Amino acid sequence: MSTTAIVVLGSTGSIGVQTLEVVRAHPGRFRVLALAGGSNVDLLEVQAREFKPEVVAVGRPERGRALAGSLSDTGIRVVSGPAGLEAAAALPAAELVVGGISGIAGLRPLLAALGAGKRVALANKEPLVAAGALVTAWAQEHGGELIPVDSELSAIFQCLKGEDRAHLARIFLTASGGPFARLTKEQLARVTPEQALEHPTWRMGRKVTIDSATLMNKGFEVFETRWLFGVEWDRIRILVHHQSIIHSMVEFVDGSCVAQLGLPDMRFPIQYALFYPERAANDLPRLDLAERRQLTFDAPDLERFPCLRLAFEAGRLGQTYPAALNAADEIAVEAFLDRRIGFMDIPRVIEQTLSAHDPLEGSTLEQLEEVDDAARRSAAAVIAQT
Amino acid sequence: MSTTAIVVLGSTGSIGVQTLEVVRAHPGRFRVLALAGGSNVDLLEVQAREFKPEVVAVGRPERGRALAGSLSDTGIRVVSGPAGLEAAAALPAAELVVGGISGIAGLRPLLAALGAGKRVALANKEPLVAAGALVTAWAQEHGGELIPVDSELSAIFQCLKGEDRAHLARIFLTASGGPFARLTKEQLARVTPEQALEHPTWRMGRKVTIDSATLMNKGFEVFETRWLFGVEWDRIRILVHHQSIIHSMVEFVDGSCVAQLGLPDMRFPIQYALFYPERAANDLPRLDLAERRQLTFDAPDLERFPCLRLAFEAGRLGQTYPAALNAADEIAVEAFLDRRIGFMDIPRVIEQTLSAHDPLEGSTLEQLEEVDDAARRSAAAVIAQT
């Protein structure tokens, strides 16, 4: 079996750490060419010493200098800042780039990788939310390829394998409903960051865990679905499924549905993306439906979880509304984690930011970054008035 | 869209009637070249007048003469007897043969179709139970192709589409559990033919409905799975799933599972087989999981449903045991429908027939037909002693 040279963007985050677990579980199968992280240089150093990449990239320049010092005995090249991340993402020898950066910060490295014609195993949702049309057009233009890592998107990808896309009728994105699926609006208003960070089934980063609790994460997956599979908004449905066993389902024009199932463990879809189109054996636990006994389903409640409605609205409005949605969400989640606003203020801040948004028709990278900046300021102003 | 010339074997049975419903729902898409039935010449005449085939084949010669008379104004050629069925199955212009004959009677027509290099949409399980190795080797030798029609097998076929068979780990055949899933052994012993013929979810012929109630039908599907997908017995698992929404599921070596789902209506898998590899729109009702609310799963109970155990045992024993299993089942089900034996006598008759079976190593068609005859006599003798 051949060795695949990989770059792990966001190696110190949840996706990055689990990617390296998969790499570790398949000795000789992957060669880690580069690791890139934002600021956690202690973990980056540990990872660098274990995986011996050629390059380590650090998002924050001052941290990069510190890491260069501590890795000076290794011969590993340390690069830093946005240019460093982009250089790591586009390394000529890289065959697969794992996009595990959190937030819109992943956009430019993603474009760098796709621009160099790389296959990207993408976990980072925000670039597809804020700049889905741009990213997919860019990939097509430069021969870059996107393989989803998110369990739901990986599920859809697997369900569509070998099928003619013209036969696709609808996509049912499943949603665990988050930790607060059964709370009333009044109870939701009193939710604390600690409660929101305890997701019942998935282990993930802080931002995505809060997004899961508000269902904005599911809204973001609607964007991923829209752009990765080229389906219109009306063909994407949300199906609440608390057990997170059916990871998503597609319906074909003949009424036949195909679903992908498995235990809720990110290592499955990460491994799938790393090995695609191969499938490799592993010793992760197996799904036993007879033991589970039941799977339940429900319609989403857009009244209690307005973020999902806002995501569909921004998607349908198009233009630069999705970029504003994404920026407002990052700011609102941060404010919630800092206890500056309540849980139900998250959708309120986003909705007010969207209402005030003055959309641009064009959407170059620069324009989208301007919108991102402006929407962040706008959201911050809404929060300041709270 | 081009027109496919089809032959419908068993056109007056449940599969045949539903096949013609699908044909009727897609005008211009199929041309019915031949219809073949066993003895229901009244329905054959009605079907012949509607679909205007070139040939009608009737299993029973004396019925064939009657039908030839009543169709004398149409110019339709009527053929009869086993040779007539085989000729219809191998018509040179036929592009697709639907194998909807019930029981082992379908074996020779199936071999005729496969021997002529036809694609066969196969619903008829018994030939694969009694002669799986023979049928699949014959298909391979003559360029014949088997597309499953059974909902569970169609599900597996759909789940494996685009996948490398080497990545397949296990197949989970789902079983509704039949109408008596919750009865005790004592209650099962008192079940009447009328009760057994009322299947909760599927509308099917009499033989297969009783086989569904004993779970022998699921056992037969284990054989279909074994031979259509080339998987060993140990990789085939039965999963009781009362709602019959998940039609079956495959597990790959990486722990990822793919399932096919839909409403329990045979027109879906029949249409899939007729159109394969296309998928065609239809106005059959759609699955709505949010409305269903829950799917349940359970392990099969081999104590109350010994037929399933007997099927696996005969499969693992190999040689001519499967042919004996199949013959004994046909005789036992007939005796149950005629009220000569009780419901729990069905597995007893089969088990005693298998115990007395003297297996042959070889398995030519003639040998298998001898075994079939002998096992029928043996089963009848067991019944006579009851």
Side-chain angles (χ1 to χ4, degrees), chain A residues 21-237:
Chain A
E21 281 182 39
V22 172
V23 167
R24 197 182 286 119
H26 298 274
R29 186 61 185 77
F30 300 97
R31 183 164 63 92
V32 178
L33 209 61
L35 296 170
S39 57
N40 186 347
V41 291
D42 293 343
L43 181 53
L44 264 177
E45 185 185 343
V46 172
Q47 292 178 337
R49 290 190 183 277
E50 177 179 358
F51 292 97
K52 301 181 175 48
E54 294 177 11
V55 178
V56 174
V58 190
R60 294 209 200 158
E62 71 283 9
R63 303 276 174 107
R65 279 187 293 276
L67 185 62
S70 44
L71 286 176
S72 58
D73 61 313
T74 61
I76 295 170
R77 184 157 59 98
V78 177
V79 296
S80 66
L85 291 179
E86 289 173 49
L91 279 175
E95 293 166 280
L96 176 71
V97 176
V98 177
I101 292 175
S102 171
I104 196 66
L107 177 57
R108 279 184 176 263
L110 171 62
L111 292 175
L114 293 172
K118 305 297 182 192
R119 170 179 286 187
V120 178
L122 188 66
N124 182 201
K125 297 176 167 80
E126 291 82 353
L128 287 178
V129 177
L134 180 80
V135 168
T136 49
W138 184 258
Q140 196 161 21
E141 190 180 333
H142 295 87
E145 187 186 6
L146 289 162
I147 310 288
V149 165
D150 225 0
S151 66
E152 290 83 353
L153 281 293
S154 177
I156 298 164
F157 191 75
Q158 292 182 52
C159 292
L160 290 174
K161 197 173 174 194
E163 296 282 351
D164 184 337
R165 293 282 169 94
H167 296 159
L168 177 62
R170 294 189 292 180
I171 290 179
F172 290 87
L173 262 175
T174 51
S176 72
F180 309 134
R182 289 180 179 85
L183 298 195
T184 63
K185 256 184 127 164
E186 293 65 37
Q187 289 171 317
L188 284 170
R190 292 191 299 271
V191 154
T192 65
E194 288 72 22
Q195 292 169 323
L197 286 170
E198 270 184 32
H199 194 275
T201 37
W202 294 104
R203 63 178 167 119
M204 305 176 290
R206 287 162 62 91
K207 163 72 165 47
V208 62
T209 302
I210 303 302
D211 283 340
S212 292
T214 63
L215 294 201
M216 183 57 95
N217 183 57
K218 203 51 54 182
F220 284 2
E221 290 170 7
V222 173
F223 282 89
E224 290 187 278
T225 304
R226 165 71 187 86
W227 295 110
L228 289 174
F229 304 107
V231 291
E232 286 305 322
W233 308 100
D234 290 341
R235 294 184 174 224
I236 306 169
R237 302 295 162 96

Side-chain angles (χ1 to χ4, degrees), chain B residues 170-215:
Chain B
R170 293 188 293 180
I171 290 179
F172 291 86
L173 262 174
T174 51
S176 72
F180 309 134
R182 291 181 178 84
L183 298 195
T184 63
K185 255 183 128 162
E186 293 65 37
Q187 290 170 317
L188 284 170
R190 292 191 300 272
V191 155
T192 65
E194 288 72 23
Q195 291 169 323
L197 286 170
E198 270 183 33
H199 193 275
T201 38
W202 295 105
R203 61 176 169 120
M204 305 176 291
R206 287 161 63 90
K207 164 74 164 47
V208 61
T209 302
I210 303 302
D211 283 340
S212 292
T214 62
L215 295 200

Side-chain angles (χ1 to χ4, degrees), chain A residues 158 161-163 253-261 268 279-282 286 289 293-298, chain B residues 158 161-163 167 253-261 268 279-280 282 286 289 293-298:
Chain A
Q158 292 182 52
K161 197 173 174 194
E163 296 282 351
V253 292
D254 60 357
S256 173
C257 297
V258 173
Q260 190 269 339
L261 301 83
F268 288 111
R279 289 183 182 274
N282 57 41
R286 266 29 182 174
L289 282 178
R293 303 198 66 86
Q294 69 168 14
L295 301 179
T296 63
F297 306 93
D298 213 336
Chain B
Q158 292 182 53
K161 196 172 174 194
E163 296 283 350
H167 295 158
V253 291
D254 61 356
S256 174
C257 298
V258 173
Q260 190 269 336
L261 302 83
F268 289 111
R279 288 183 182 273
N282 58 40
R286 266 31 183 172
L289 282 178
R293 304 199 65 88
Q294 69 168 13
L295 300 179
T296 63
F297 306 93
D298 214 336

Side-chain angles (χ1 to χ4, degrees), chain B residues 116-169:
Chain B
K118 305 295 183 192
R119 169 178 286 185
V120 178
L122 188 67
N124 182 199
K125 299 177 167 76
E126 290 82 354
L128 287 178
V129 176
L134 180 80
V135 168
T136 49
W138 183 258
Q140 196 160 22
E141 190 182 329
H142 295 87
E145 187 186 6
L146 289 162
I147 311 288
V149 164
D150 226 0
S151 66
E152 290 81 354
L153 282 293
S154 176
I156 298 164
F157 191 75
Q158 292 182 53
C159 292
L160 290 174
K161 196 172 174 194
E163 296 283 350
D164 184 338
R165 293 283 167 92
H167 295 158
L168 178 62

